[in-house]
């Protein structure tokens, strides 16, 4: 049998045997995803499955990987991703696979499907900016499109309640009628039958923010009836963090389903000093009390002290009704613009990190004449424009028709480290599968799309000691797999799917920064997805073996 020799072998460890493996990884230090210490062993892969673990030096294989001195782990599971459309632009998922990611969870608050008649035109405009054509309406059709094009990572998706509300209720601040709630429930059921894993909300965004708790419970109950889960970017992550946590707990209890909180944090550095007890610690206590009472509630975190979202979030709440285009129209209204400016200035004057002109950076704008400002603070942009920071912010939002995004520096490092250490918190990037060139590199993105997982290992394991290596790997593999109900991924065990990462734990490193984000991580030697080699000696092989992992009853 012909061998493909991968890596540098000091001696031939494979000899004749009756049942050859497709891939044999030898002498690696295995961290199996459970949080247990490493064990040196070999792994034999047949097809897409781990067939054997142990001393396999007498086996034959087509592909031999010498992992001496290297760590072998399950492929990382990015439990919080926005690659819904990026994977259609470039299925290689370069920014993710170079981190070791083999599975991504899509559909935070908004999702690729369903596409409803009332929102189709807006979706088509957004996709056109990426050079994509909208040729699906349901999850079944979207999943088929992904599989037809080919992807290097596995994907799952929740159905976004925000898109359902936009399509059924609209973008206005009003209560959904009983018939509208019933229609949204029907759409959730259809998505679940197509393979979605649950329902998600982004309760700071229009129109999610207009949904009552009762409306969300109704949608979550439908997901629960189909074995689904509830995912949420909760209603507030600053001074009302505790009440936002309480709402998520209530939804989980009343709908009787597991709850996952996206990017668990307290994002108001200055206001923390106004509380006798840290709101973050109070939120932790609430979650742990609910867990002790039997609710399956957990969360993820990304390893950065800055967030990224729409720039509209720094405008008055009342000005956001109707969505981005309606907000832009209000900014063009000479009767309303002074009021908006005054409220922005009042907020800026508070000097709250993440809400002041020097701590907010323009990340992306579709307005060509403002693209040169991407990567600059609102303060610097205002200086260049020769206007006040409030005027600069309004100009950026208005010209972008409400579709500009920003990076907000407002999270405390000690809160981040506390979150990382919690046993029920996994790692999620809140980023997308990007490439350093082409259409996916045009925006000035948050570095988390390129560096989340290596950054945890470098900064919070090797440098700061906030986690041990086995703990960190568990939070990237076995823990998110259990949070998602994935029984055949996230662990190195016989019978599991062969999603595997091989790397030097001391050299896996992120290079993406807030100033220069489009830089691939380095140090990952080999990456296997469903038994196929996606990275070889740190280079993408061009393989697209990823699958859509549909929820099954």
């Amino acid at each position: 049998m012909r061998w493909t020799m991968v890596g540098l072998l000091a001696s031939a460890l494979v000899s004749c045997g009756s049942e050859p493996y497709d891939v044999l990884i030898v002498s690696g230090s295995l961290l199996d995803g459970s949080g247990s210490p490493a064990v040196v062993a070999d792994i034999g892969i047949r097809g897409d499955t781990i067939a054997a673990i142990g001393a396999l030096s007498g086996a034959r294989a087509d592909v031999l990987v010498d992992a001496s001195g290297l760590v072998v782990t399950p492929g990382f599971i990015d439990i919080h991703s926005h690659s819904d459309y990026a994977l259609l632009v470039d299925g290689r998922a370069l920014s993710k696979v170079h981190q070791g990611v083999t599975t991504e969870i899509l559909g935070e608050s908004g999702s690729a499907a369903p596409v409803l008649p009332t929102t189709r035109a807006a979706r088509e405009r957004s996709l056109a900016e990426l050079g994509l054509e909208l040729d699906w309406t349901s999850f079944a059709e979207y999943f088929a499109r992904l599989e037809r094009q080919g992807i290097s990572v596995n994907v799952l998706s929740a159905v976004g309640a925000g898109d359902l509300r936009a399509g059924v209720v609209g973008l206005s601040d009003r209560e959904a009628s009983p018939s509208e709630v019933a229609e949204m429930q029907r759409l959730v059921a259809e998505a679940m039958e197509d393979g979605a894993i649950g329902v998600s909300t982004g309760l700071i965004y229009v129109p999610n923010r207009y949904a009552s708790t009762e409306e969300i419970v109704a949608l979550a109950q439908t997901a629960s009836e189909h074995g689904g889960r509830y995912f949420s970017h909760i209603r507030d992550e600053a001074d009302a963090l505790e009440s936002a946590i309480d709402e998520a707990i209530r939804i989980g209890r009343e709908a009787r389903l597991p709850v996952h909180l996206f990017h668990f944090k307290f994002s108001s550095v200055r206001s923390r000093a106004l509380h006798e007890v840290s709101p973050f610690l109070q939120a932790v206590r609430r979650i742990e009390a609910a867990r002790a009472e039997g609710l399956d509630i957990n969360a993820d975190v990304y390893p950065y002290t800055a967030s990224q979202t729409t720039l509209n979030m720094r405008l008055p709440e009342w000005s956001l009704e109707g969505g981005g285009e309606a907000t832009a129209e209000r900014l063009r209204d000479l009767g309303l613009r002074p009021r908006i400016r005054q409220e922005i200035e009042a907020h800026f004057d508070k000097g709250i990190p993440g809400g002041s002109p020097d701590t907010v950076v323009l990340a992306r704008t579709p307005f060509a004449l403002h693209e040169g400002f991407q990567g600059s603070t609102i303060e610097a942009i205002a200086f260049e424009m020769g206007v006040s920071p409030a005027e600069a912010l309004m100009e950026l939002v208005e010209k972008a028709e409400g579709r500009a995004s920003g990076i907000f520096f407002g999270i405390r490092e000690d809160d981040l480290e506390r979150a990382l250490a919690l046993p029920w918190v996994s790692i999620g990037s809140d980023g997308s599968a990007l490439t350093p060139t082409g259409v996916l590199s045009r925006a000035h993105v948050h570095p988390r799309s390129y560096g989340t997982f290596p950054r945890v290992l470098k900064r919070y394991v090797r440098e700061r000691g906030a986690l041990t290596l086995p703990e960190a790997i568990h939070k990237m593999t076995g823990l998110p797999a259990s949070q998602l109900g994935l029984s055949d991924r996230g662990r190195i065990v016989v019978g599991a799917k062969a999603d595997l990462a091989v790397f030097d734990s001391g050299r896996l490193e992120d290079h993406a920064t807030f100033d220069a984000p489009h830089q691939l991580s380095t140090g990952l030697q080999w990456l296997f997805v469903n038994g196929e080699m996606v990275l070889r000696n740190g280079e993408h092989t061009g393989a697209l073996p990823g699958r859509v992992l549909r929820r099954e009853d």
Side-chain angles (χ1 to χ4, degrees):
M1 179 175 292
R2 181 177 60 84
W3 292 353
T4 300
M5 303 300 287
V6 182
L8 298 176
L9 295 179
S11 60
L13 296 179
V14 178
S15 60
C16 292
S18 58
E19 293 186 67
Y21 297 104
D22 296 312
V23 178
L24 189 62
I25 303 172
V26 298
S27 303
S29 183
L30 273 57
L31 286 168
D32 67 4
S34 68
S36 299
V39 175
V40 176
D42 308 327
I43 300 175
I45 300 171
R46 290 196 184 100
D48 64 358
T49 303
I50 297 174
I53 303 171
L56 306 175
S57 60
R60 293 183 298 151
D62 290 327
V63 175
L64 183 63
V65 174
D66 180 13
S68 300
L70 302 177
V71 171
V72 183
T73 75
F76 302 155
I77 298 172
D78 190 345
I79 200 168
H80 184 185
S81 176
H82 291 274
S83 299
D84 311 59
Y85 305 126
L87 287 171
L88 295 178
V89 175
D90 191 334
R92 294 175 300 165
L94 291 181
S95 72
K96 295 297 184 74
V97 299
H98 280 273
Q99 297 181 59
V101 172
T102 55
T103 299
E104 295 198 277
I105 290 70
L106 313 177
E108 184 223 342
S109 77
S111 52
V115 180
L116 304 179
T118 50
T119 58
R120 187 175 186 88
R123 189 79 63 96
E124 287 176 333
R125 287 195 297 272
S126 296
L127 291 175
E129 294 177 6
L130 297 173
L132 296 174
E133 180 181 350
L134 180 60
D135 61 358
W136 68 88
T137 57
S138 66
F139 265 110
E141 293 169 343
Y142 168 68
F143 288 157
R145 168 82 181 265
L146 281 175
E147 291 172 327
R148 186 167 62 251
Q149 288 195 200
I151 47 179
S152 290
V153 293
N154 305 306
V155 299
L156 305 90
S157 182
V159 55
D163 284 323
L164 301 185
R165 194 172 221 275
V168 174
V169 183
L171 301 177
S172 298
D173 183 1
R174 69 170 180 85
E175 184 177 346
S177 69
S179 63
E180 288 169 335
V181 172
E183 174 62 9
M184 288 188 284
Q185 287 181 297
R186 184 191 69 78
L187 291 167
V188 170
E190 183 180 89
M192 297 297 294
E193 290 163 2
D194 282 348
I197 58 170
V199 65
S200 67
T201 56
L203 296 175
I204 70 169
Y205 302 117
V206 173
N208 286 258
R209 65 193 305 152
Y210 305 139
S212 66
T213 305
E214 291 76 17
E215 177 184 318
I216 301 167
V217 168
L219 303 188
Q221 285 174 334
T222 301
S224 178
E225 291 166 4
H226 290 77
R229 297 161 186 266
Y230 175 60
F231 302 83
S232 186
H233 178 153
I234 56 178
R235 208 174 286 273
D236 194 284
E237 294 173 330
D239 290 336
L241 174 63
E242 295 167 54
S243 63
I245 294 292
D246 289 343
E247 181 184 40
I249 290 170
R250 176 188 165 188
I251 292 165
R253 284 174 173 160
E254 293 187 13
R256 298 180 180 276
L257 81 175
V259 175
H260 182 84
L261 309 179
F262 289 129
H263 48 50
F264 180 47
K265 60 180 178 288
F266 179 61
S267 59
S268 185
V269 173
R270 184 179 177 187
S271 64
R272 174 179 169 175
L274 303 178
H275 300 267
E276 290 186 12
V277 180
S278 163
F280 176 78
L281 294 180
Q282 291 282 55
V284 170
R285 291 170 185 171
R286 277 172 154 76
I287 293 170
E288 293 189 334
R291 287 173 58 85
E293 293 170 1
L295 180 64
D296 183 356
I297 180 170
N298 48 64
D300 65 70
V301 66
Y302 50 72
Y304 298 89
T305 56
S307 59
Q308 180 174 354
T309 189
T310 171
L311 213 55
N312 302 1
M313 290 299 99
R314 292 301 172 262
L315 270 61
E317 286 189 20
W318 62 266
S319 70
L320 305 179
E321 184 176 1
E325 292 181 4
T327 296
E329 284 299 320
R330 292 188 183 96
L331 288 169
R332 286 190 279 267
D333 186 326
L334 298 182
L336 293 176
R337 192 176 179 98
R339 178 185 170 190
I340 296 173
R341 182 193 307 111
Q342 184 177 23
E343 293 190 35
I344 293 172
E345 288 172 346
H347 182 76
F348 279 172
D349 287 344
K350 295 177 182 178
I352 299 173
S356 58
D358 60 325
T359 60
V360 178
V361 170
L362 175 65
R364 175 189 176 276
T365 176
F367 183 60
L369 295 181
H370 285 169
E371 286 182 352
F373 292 137
Q374 291 178 161
S376 299
T377 65
I378 300 300
E379 183 178 67
I381 294 169
F383 179 81
E384 288 293 321
M385 288 183 170
V387 299
S388 71
E391 278 288 348
L393 176 62
M394 291 191 296
E395 184 74 3
L396 293 170
V397 173
E398 184 228 314
K399 289 296 192 293
E401 296 294 327
R403 292 185 291 128
S405 64
I407 297 172
F408 307 86
F409 292 83
I411 304 170
R412 291 179 64 98
E413 180 86 27
D414 57 349
D415 282 345
L416 171 56
E417 288 198 8
R418 289 190 183 100
L420 279 169
L422 292 167
W424 39 269
V425 171
S426 56
I427 308 300
S429 73
D430 195 14
S432 300
L434 305 178
T435 60
T437 59
V439 65
L440 295 177
S441 69
R442 291 193 311 207
H444 189 92
V445 299
H446 194 296
R448 62 196 180 192
S449 290
Y450 285 87
T452 289
F453 294 87
R455 180 175 172 82
V456 170
L457 299 183
K458 179 186 176 184
R459 180 169 178 80
Y460 295 101
V461 174
R462 302 201 302 265
E463 296 177 356
R464 298 181 68 88
L467 297 169
T468 66
L469 182 59
E471 287 172 339
I473 297 301
H474 173 59
K475 287 176 174 290
M476 301 172 180
T477 58
L479 181 58
S482 68
Q483 291 171 341
L484 296 165
L486 295 176
S487 60
D488 61 352
R489 297 178 198 271
R491 293 286 304 278
I492 298 180
V493 293
V494 173
K497 297 302 180 186
D499 294 346
L500 297 167
V502 183
F503 56 93
D504 182 336
S505 62
R507 298 182 63 186
L508 189 60
E509 186 172 358
D510 64 307
H511 300 284
T513 66
F514 287 102
D515 292 330
H518 289 285
Q519 300 187 75
L520 297 173
S521 292
T522 58
L524 196 73
Q525 295 300 303
W526 295 282
L527 188 72
F528 293 87
V529 178
N530 296 310
E532 292 192 41
M533 188 179 292
V534 170
L535 290 186
R536 178 194 292 117
N537 293 324
E539 298 294 329
H540 202 292
T541 64
L544 302 171
R547 298 173 182 169
V548 174
L549 306 181
R550 296 169 176 82
R551 181 207 55 80
E552 297 180 359
D553 292 323

